[in-house]
Amino acid sequence: VIGHPKYQDSKRIAIFLSMPDEIQTEEIIKDIFKQGKECFIPRYKPQSNHMDMLKLSSAEDISSLTLTSWNILQPSDDDGAREEALAGGGLDLIFMPGLGFDKKGNRLGRGKGYYDTYLERCMKHPSGKPYTIALAFREQICESVPVAENDVQVDEILYEDS
């Protein structure tokens, strides 16, 4: 990931905070700050498909976040001081989680459509749709995953041996 040309060229990067069964992103987040890039993380709104990408001030900033009922760390709802990526310069790159992927770039998420809805919003932003990279384990690569018409394909899937 760190040596990937799209990562190297990107200044504004959104990345998920890993759940235990996902690719661990902590070292990538540390590198984002080490390289002087801007880091944004998801804040999901429960009972909806709305998600914002909010700016982290440092890797240590993660310890100030609150744990959701899904066991995901995210900025609290009353944390209005953080920049939302689309309120500013948009995003260059989004690292995406998922449960399964196929080699055509289809992604099976957790069923709420947060990333698909967010990418639709990105497409309306002046900076346009960011490049998307899914981070996966080899075991998550399938022949095909079910898709709906509003599912947005990922540009690239990174996994061991890819």
Side-chain angles (χ1 to χ4, degrees):
V1 172
I2 306 293
H4 194 288
K6 289 286 185 185
Y7 174 77
Q8 290 294 324
D9 292 344
S10 294
K11 298 280 179 249
R12 293 169 62 88
I13 299 171
I15 189 165
F16 59 98
L17 298 178
S18 322
M19 293 172 74
D21 61 347
E22 294 173 329
I23 296 286
Q24 297 301 295
T25 57
E26 187 179 341
E27 293 305 314
I28 302 168
I29 292 169
K30 287 178 183 170
D31 191 75
I32 290 171
F33 286 105
K34 192 171 113 192
Q35 294 204 33
K37 300 173 185 290
E38 294 177 89
C39 184
F40 297 82
I41 58 164
R43 179 173 67 193
Y44 309 90
K45 284 214 165 85
Q47 282 82 51
S48 79
N49 63 0
H50 186 86
M51 173 177 78
D52 290 315
M53 290 291 184
L54 300 180
K55 191 171 184 177
L56 275 182
S57 57
S58 67
E60 295 72 36
D61 189 14
I62 293 169
S63 63
S64 74
L65 304 176
T66 53
L67 205 56
T68 68
S69 59
W70 296 338
N71 263 353
I72 299 172
L73 285 170
Q74 68 177 25
S76 62
D77 288 338
D78 58 5
D79 186 345
R82 294 177 190 274
E83 176 192 342
E84 203 294 316
L86 296 180
L91 290 166
D92 302 317
L93 174 63
I94 299 180
F95 286 108
M96 297 174 65
L99 298 177
F101 308 91
D102 66 28
K103 293 187 176 173
K104 293 186 214 94
N106 294 313
R107 173 185 161 273
L108 181 67
R110 296 186 185 263
K112 299 282 189 192
Y114 286 111
Y115 279 89
D116 299 311
T117 305
Y118 192 77
L119 287 167
E120 293 283 331
R121 286 171 52 209
C122 289
M123 290 178 213
K124 295 176 179 133
H125 189 274
S127 66
K129 179 185 168 290
Y131 193 78
T132 54
I133 298 177
L135 300 178
F137 295 107
R138 185 174 49 244
E139 294 80 4
Q140 292 176 288
I141 308 302
C142 311
E143 272 304 306
S144 69
V145 296
V147 291
E149 61 183 51
N150 61 333
D151 288 344
V152 180
Q153 288 182 316
V154 295
D155 294 311
E156 191 173 343
I157 302 162
L158 288 184
Y159 60 98
E160 286 178 317
D161 307 329
S162 63

